Amino acid sequence: MMDMKDIETEICALAGQIAAASAQYLILVGEFDARRGWAAWEVRSCAHWLSWRAGVDLHTAREQVRVAKAMRELPLITSAYLSGTISYSKVRAMTRVVTAENEASLLQKALDAPAAHIERLCRGLKKAMRPTRGNGVDVDPCTGRWRWDENDGSLVLTARFRPEDGKRFLAALTRAEYERTRVEGESEGDRAAPAPPNPVPAIIAMAEMVCAAVDSPVVSPAAEVLVHLGNSTEAGCDHAHFDDGPGLDDETLAQVLCSAVMRTVGHGRLGKTVRWSPTAKAPSRTQMRQLIIRDRCCTVPGCGRTRFLHAHHVTYRSRGGATSLDNLVLLCGEHHRALHDGYFFIEALGYQRFSFHHPSGTEIIHAPAVSGDADEIRRRYDGIAPDAIVPNWGGEGLDLSYATDVLITNWQQAA
């Protein structure tokens, strides 16, 4: 049996080695995110990739990516982290308030105090350093405008909000993005998640929820679309276009067939209407319920979204694919578009089984295995002192108000 002192020494030694290994891990995460390596896997962000490939909870993954980005601009903290003298908890707290000017002094505090004190200190600093709004009337009016772009027909919005209204709007965007991208098992939204950098999909989701006047839909409601077919014959057609809209290539037409209830209007050579089709068959309500029970979410590996889902025909309906459970999978809107754009493809294996592949043919695995070797970490970071991570702390308490005032005053005088 190990002596209690030996157990204590071993715990501290392993903590320092784990800190050094996690520092290297975050450096790699920062590089991977900067190069957008996750984008090749058709996932939303580096955090989602970590959740899928590295087995990390999504909230934890977001924090890791945030810290990894900050570390790229903090050489002193990164060096101390790599040497195993500060822990991830301290680094995470410091990256919320650290700047190039105060990095050295804040790092010294981290070397001298326990993680709980550094967490409290950084929360206090963040609150004390927050800019305040002066009294009086706002100089810039809060207005908004919208217009149709004459070049491509897109809608252009510009808006300016008061701070309190802007915060409420960003909170609504965050909630709408959560509902749009929710994965199975999430009972409530991540309150720490930032508003999406591209707000357009979230705004569209907000519009759909308001128009429906009900909770956000699991299945994205289909629109009825008129498609005109020129020079129609029994064998097919030479041209297709939306009613009073642009022409459609074969892939776009296939996507419309997947996500909309469609009627086709056939025309003869002189424009005469020769055929008015019944509504193209879409999955029935019962089939949609069966799909939701079977798939639960977007079926693309690493996605897991549970809102605004589309029933996709693996063999396209325009190519004779049946509207049956053996040929239907649930996809979120983003991955549905990505599939029709050729970023990946789905293969039906029969008996309601499907596989997902990159354009090269490589299969996309749903849950890649994660493995590691604790002894390898010991060997790689054996040079770290057993007490490297232990702070120079004498047991004194933290006077938060005094500590924040002194630090901010010193930083202002040094500026």
Side-chain angles (χ1 to χ4, degrees), residues 175 179 205-219 221 307-308:
R175 177 57 188 270
E179 292 293 346
M206 289 168 59
E208 290 181 354
M209 285 187 271
V210 171
C211 290
V214 293
D215 291 339
S216 57
V218 172
V219 178
R307 292 293 185 270
F308 305 102

Side-chain angles (χ1 to χ4, degrees), residues 88 179 188 222 247 253 258 274 277 292 356 374 400:
Y88 172 72
E179 292 293 346
E188 61 179 58
L253 180 60
C258 273
V274 297
S277 76
I292 293 168
F356 296 77
L400 183 60

